[in-house]
């Protein structure tokens, strides 16, 4: 790269420029089920259709929204689902917990967080004197199961975001708790690491939002439970200051 190009990239804040070292081993191939296909990242709707769709969803009541989600075919995840997983709980909840996407058990039952991670989430709620359905609503970034529990793609999350946004408008929670990196990054439109997002008050459409670890991660990384406990205490203190 010539020095003029380097200078331009620097001016545009597009540096540092990373180069592969000559002896860098070839990257392992990612199994198809875990990768995001390039075409998944294209937005199929033209901007006008997207705006119309967004306006339509924006005016829906609960019944209409649930029906729209259950019939949704806006992204490839719809093809393999057994059930859509809309969300569950108090529709006027103060607390909104947002996970990543349904797993196998959730796909089979249509209810979020019913597997092992769900059991831990219930314990986390109990630790701050909350319980599913009582002042609490639980949902996910995407409403259909990503195959093999891979992360939802940008396109899938974007399509589903209209539904999540409407759920949040209808619930009007006082506090949102993002469970894990994927939920936090999608809600905040950020690529920051979970460790840098924890311990701060963020906002989603003016609603305070905090970030903690996903319960499925905590099942694999038990020592991190202490940090999650700290996050829950932090969330509780925010809620107390709001009510
Ligand atoms: N993990 C999630 O993120 N959501 C669920 O509903 C279940 C597991």
């Amino acid at each position: 790269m010539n020095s003029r190009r380097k200078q331009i990239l620097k001016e545009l804040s597009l540096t540092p420029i990373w180069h592969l070292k000559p002896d860098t081993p070839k990257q392992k191939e990612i199994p198809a089920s875990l990768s995001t296909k390039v075409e998944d990242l294209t937005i199929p709707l033209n901007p006008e259709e997207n705006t119309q769709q967004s306006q339509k969803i924006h005016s829906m009541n609960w019944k209409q929204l649930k029906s729209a989600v259950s019939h949704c075919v806006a992204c490839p995840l719809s093809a393999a689902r057994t059930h859509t997983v809309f969300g569950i709980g108090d529709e006027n909840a103060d607390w909104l917990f947002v996970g990543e996407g349904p797993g196998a058990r959730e796909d089979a039952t249509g209810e979020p967080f019913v597997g092992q991670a769900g059991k831990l989430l219930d314990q986390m709620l109990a630790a701050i004197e909350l319980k599913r359905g009582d002042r609490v609503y639980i949902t996910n970034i995407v409403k259909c199961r990503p195959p093999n529990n891979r992360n939802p793609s940008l396109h899938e999350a974007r399509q589903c975001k209209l539904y999540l946004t409407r759920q949040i408008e209808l619930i009007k929670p006082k506090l949102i708790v993002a469970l894990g990196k994927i939920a936090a990054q999608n809600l905040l439109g950020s690529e920051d690491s979970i460790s840098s997002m924890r311990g701060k008050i963020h906002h989603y459409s003016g609603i305070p939002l905090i970030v903690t670890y996903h319960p499925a991660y905590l099942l694999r990384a038990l020592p991190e439970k202490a940090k999650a406990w700290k996050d829950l205490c932090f969330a509780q203190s925010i809620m107390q200051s709001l009510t």
Side-chain angles (χ1 to χ4, degrees):
M1 182 174 318
N2 65 36
S3 60
R4 182 171 147 67
R5 177 133 192 267
K6 266 190 198 157
Q7 187 57 35
I8 293 169
L9 291 176
K10 195 169 167 210
E11 293 292 325
L12 293 170
S13 305
L14 293 176
T15 50
I17 301 148
W18 297 91
H19 297 280
L20 276 183
K21 285 188 194 162
D23 59 348
T24 303
K26 197 170 172 275
Q27 236 195 339
K28 254 196 186 168
E29 217 168 285
I30 303 169
S33 58
L34 297 178
S35 70
T36 298
K37 290 201 211 107
V38 171
E39 64 264 33
D40 284 353
L41 297 173
T42 59
I43 302 168
L45 298 173
N46 69 41
E48 208 173 292
E49 280 172 331
N50 216 349
T51 311
Q52 281 169 5
Q53 180 69 350
S54 151
Q55 281 169 353
K56 203 168 144 196
I57 294 173
H58 183 65
S59 65
M60 286 179 178
N61 60 27
W62 277 112
K63 196 171 163 215
Q64 292 163 333
L65 190 62
K66 284 175 192 170
S67 167
V69 168
S70 71
H71 294 101
C72 182
V73 287
C75 85
L77 295 185
S78 58
R81 74 176 172 228
T82 311
H83 292 105
T84 52
V85 179
F86 181 78
I88 198 157
D90 181 347
E91 292 176 355
N92 297 303
D94 289 337
W95 295 81
L96 173 64
F97 288 79
V98 182
E100 180 179 321
R105 297 278 299 272
E106 291 77 18
D107 176 65
T109 59
E111 189 173 326
F113 284 99
V114 286
Q116 282 304 108
K119 286 199 186 112
L120 180 56
L121 177 59
D122 287 340
Q123 287 168 5
M124 289 163 75
L125 295 178
I128 49 170
E129 291 164 2
L130 292 174
K131 77 170 189 269
R132 201 179 270 249
D134 184 9
R135 292 179 63 218
V136 173
Y137 197 92
I138 303 170
T139 191
N140 284 305
I141 293 290
V142 290
K143 314 300 191 210
C144 295
R145 182 189 181 204
N148 300 322
N149 299 338
R150 65 159 170 75
N151 293 339
S153 74
L154 212 62
H155 169 58
E156 292 153 0
R158 223 180 261 166
Q159 294 297 326
C160 241
K161 183 96 177 265
L162 298 175
Y163 299 127
L164 178 60
T165 302
R166 186 61 186 147
Q167 284 178 304
I168 296 174
E169 284 170 355
L170 289 167
I171 298 168
K172 299 186 193 68
K174 291 198 169 77
L175 180 64
I176 301 173
V177 181
L179 298 166
K181 183 179 86 172
I182 299 296
Q185 289 184 337
N186 276 288
L187 284 163
L188 297 173
S190 159
E191 290 191 349
D192 290 349
S193 67
I194 187 147
S195 52
S196 67
M197 290 189 276
R198 288 181 52 245
K200 295 178 189 151
I201 305 181
H202 306 267
H203 287 89
Y204 179 89
S205 291
I207 302 166
L209 180 153
I210 71 123
V211 176
T212 190
Y213 292 109
H214 192 286
Y217 169 73
L218 294 174
L219 289 172
R220 301 190 302 269
L222 295 179
E224 304 289 44
K225 276 190 180 176
K227 293 189 193 161
W229 170 237
K230 207 170 157 193
D231 297 336
L232 291 172
C233 293
F234 180 47
Q236 201 177 29
S237 70
I238 297 165
M239 183 59 86
Q240 274 160 4
S241 73
L242 294 170
T243 48

